[in-house]
Every structure is written in structure tokens, then in C-alpha cells.
Amino acid sequence: MTVSAPPVGPSDQLEPQATRPSGAARLLRLVPAAVAALSGVLLYVSFPPRTLWWLALPAFALFGWALRGRGWKAALGLGYLFGLGFLLPLLVWTGVEVGPGPWLALVAVEAVLVALVGVGVAAVSRLPAWPLWAAALWTAGEAVRARVPFGGFPWGKIAFGQADGVFLPLAAVGGTPVLGFAVVLCGFALYEVVRLALDRRHVREVSRSAAAIALLGVAVPVVGALAARPLVSDRAEDGTATVAVIQGNVPRLGLEFNAQRRAVLDYHARETERLAARVAAGEVAKPDFVLWPENSSDIDPFAYADAAAVIDKAAKAIGAPISVGGVVERDGKLYNEQILWDPVKGPTQTYDKRQVQPFGEYLPLRSLLGAINENWTTMVREDFSRGSRPGVFDLDGTKVGLATCYEAAFDWAVRDTVTHGARMISVPSNNATFDRSEMTYQQLAMSRVRAVEHSRTVTVPVTSGVSAIIMPDGRITQRTGMFVADSLVQTVPLRSSETPATRLGILPETALVLVAAGGLGWAVGAGLRGRRAR
């Protein structure tokens, strides 16, 4: 018997439309994007002033979930969302006084570099031991961000969020690259452990070697950090020095700080003289030397006798040399300079800041930016020139390394003060233009990481706070409030031994970049072979 096909009705013609994804299914497609953005926010929350350093681990675990197995286009978008979630809130302080334009532009550019790392992570996620390659790629991305564009912007390095964490001793092993690599590896490996555990629950075969590697990815960074603890010490090796940190404060907040130059100088001289009175009364110990912040004398004391007289009077009152942060014009060029002012001899040594801040101390693409918005060019009327020599002052026999403000974010700028003999480090800064934002706490955390990285006492004199004294083990022993006049006096340990991080310099970062390149090359090669096979 022949059975004829039923006629095609209207309901049958609509069947193909029924297979279209429902609204719930379309929403599910947005989950990876939401997870990528929220994991970036989670990473931001792990940074100072909060002490939630451990949140970096689930942040990278979630980021790994979002990226694993993705194509390059999806990975690029997810990486960009992660970068926005992290950097938009982290760097909001850059727009405190100049408006949202520069802040959004900076984040947009930096997030592109994070997005490219996301593409690499997605590519290596198909490889065995992928958390290792992925963490190395993140470190390589940080290395790029620390160098380009315009000399780099290392703010947001994972290491700078770990000043309160268990991983901190790894800074002494291989500096910020090794510390950051360990945190990211642990986060990605944490996701891999969870993924393999869930696979096993669904009766899928899980390779024992894959499970062991994932567990090692979590365990090795933690064990390595514990093993590195003996490298962290606050014991004096070359005696001690009594140091005074002066925070003079500023009359008003914001960019008008630069129009208050004489008032700021007077405030720092006054606070130094107030400290001298306390020393004379026996309330505090007499310092061997005094450290003023960056921009504490924006009036050039070499050109203006009245500014020189104010500094000289303060130095004579305290009876100790003062490191003064000045703005100096020499041979037609402008320098952000530290000046060592002796109470008897006057100015004796200088250090010119080498890593000057783009869009803050010099303006790249000046003509282009002026065409877009003339106000941007007036904020940086004249570009600062760069110094060429490491900053190490000999202060009554104590060699003090100098990394001025923005320089603290750059590995090389701090390290070479130690390799040139510094027994302690000072990071003179001016945060007055950033109001009460998180910027000062982020920078303070950098200085804590540098203290452990090079096993040196670090002082942070700031115009308006937070100024601090940090031991070689990263502990803050004294700190000021924000926008108050204050002084800190303490006898601190001097050290001369070099940590592995100091001795190795750029080698750990270079090795991790090579690991990243090897993993990426393997992934690309495997992809090409797979296409040929099809």
C-alpha cells in the first residue's frame, strides 16, 4: 500500500522559525561577556586601598572560564571587557581634575593591550598545562604595557595589588613579573582544577596528568611564596639611620596646586622648623637627614634667592641635610629635580627625574591634542626634560636611592638605585592634583612591593598624603593622613645585600616572555596542523 505524504500546511511552514534561539538562549550567550566584565571588576576590588588581595584568584579563574576554547574574535571582545572592568575603576583618578576625556582615552588604549592578551590566552587554552602558558602571556602583556605607548604605563600590574598577600615574598625572587605571574597562574589553575573536577563528576575521562598539573599550578605559587619568606627581612646590615619625612600639605586641592608654589614651599619649611623645635625639646630624635616630597619647591631655588633662603633657613633649623623636590630650569630645559641641600654648604647634589609622565609632565602629540581641545595643551604648557643618571644621594654617609613618584611604577627605575649602592630608597611624590582618590594608596602599595623586592627601607614623602615609612619586609610602621601637615621620624635599618630579584634584573621577565612566545607558537602551529588535517 502506498502512503502519500501529507499536505504541507501553514504550521509546517513555520517549523524552521521554531528552531531559532529563544530569549533565554540569547541571554545565555551574553553570560561570558558579563563574566569577563565582572571578573575585571573583581580584580579591581582586590587592589588597594582594600586588602582583598585574594580576590585576584577568582577573578582570573572566571576570566579563564570565559576565554577557554574561544575563537580569536570572541576572545578579543571578552579580553576588552575584562580590561574595561578592571581599568575603568582603577584609573578613575586620572580624570579627577581634567575631566573624563583623558581617563576614558587612557583606559580605551590600555584595554586594547589587555584584549590582545585575551586572544593569546584563548589560543593556548587548548594546550596541555594551559594555565602556565596563559599566565606567562599575561606577564608578557604587562611587559608591553610597561613600555608602550609613550614609554609605557605599568599602573595596574598584578604585583601592585599583592602588598598584603601571601605571594609578596616572591617579589624578592624575581620582582614584579614573578610575583604577578604566580598570582595569575594560581588563578587560572584554580579554574582548571574546578573544571576537571566537574568533568569527573560527569563520568568523563580525566587525565591524571592533567589533574596533577592543574593542582601543581595552584600549589607551586603558594609553596614558592612560603619558601621565599627567608628572603624577607628587616634586620639592619649596615647600621641604622634616623630619617625624617616631611609632609607640608597644600593650601587647596586640585591642579591649582601649581599656582601655589610659594605657599607650598613655605608649608614644608614651616613643618621642618616645627620638627626642629620638637627635636630641641627632646620630644623626638634628631634626624640624620630630612626628606621633602616632589614639588615641595616649585620655585627654582637656583634662580630665586628668596626660595633658596627659605630652604636654607629650614636646613639650618633642623641641622641636617634636606632632599628638596624642585622644578628647575637649566640650559633652557625644565627638570623635575631632587636637590640635596646641606645646612652649611647649600645645594650639593641633584637628581633629575628620568621617567617623566606623559600628559602630566610632557605632552605627546601636542599639536593634535591642541586641535581637539586647547585646554589640554594649557595644562602642560612646557615639557619636562629627562635626566640621565640614577638618583643616589650620599646623605652623611648613607646612600639613599631616589625614585620620583611615577618612577616607582617602573622596575628599572627603582632597581638601578640599589645596584648603584643605595642602602635605602625614597619615593618623593606629589599627589595633590588627585584629590582624595585611591591613587595615593595604589602608589603606596607599589612602594611596599619595592621594599620587599630589593630588601630596602622605603620612605614615601608626599606633599599632601599619604606619606609613610616602610620596612624592608613591606610593613608600614608610620603613616600620615591625607591633606594634613605632619612629619615622621624613625630610626630605620640600612641594608646592602641584594635579593635575587635585584641581581637578576630583567631576566625573569624575559624568561616569562619567552615562555609566552613558546606557548603561543605551539598553539598557532597546532591550529595550522588541524586545518590541514581537515
Side-chain angles (χ1 to χ4, degrees), residues 250-267 298-299:
V250 298
R252 296 182 297 278
L253 310 187
L255 288 174
E256 286 187 358
F257 162 84
N258 293 316
Q260 306 167 39
R261 298 180 297 170
R262 180 54 192 264
V264 173
L265 171 58
D266 289 342
Y267 281 17
D298 272 356
I299 301 176

Side-chain angles (χ1 to χ4, degrees), residues 263-274:
V264 173
L265 171 58
D266 289 342
Y267 281 17
H268 284 82
R270 185 185 308 161
E271 189 60 33
T272 304
E273 291 166 7
R274 189 177 294 137

Side-chain angles (χ1 to χ4, degrees), residues 67 87 131 143 186-187 206 222 246 273 318 322 350 355 433 436 463 518:
L67 288 176
L87 296 172
C186 199
V206 174
V222 177
I246 299 296
E273 291 166 7
I318 196 68
I322 303 175
T350 60
Q355 187 70 40
T433 55
R436 297 181 181 274
T463 50

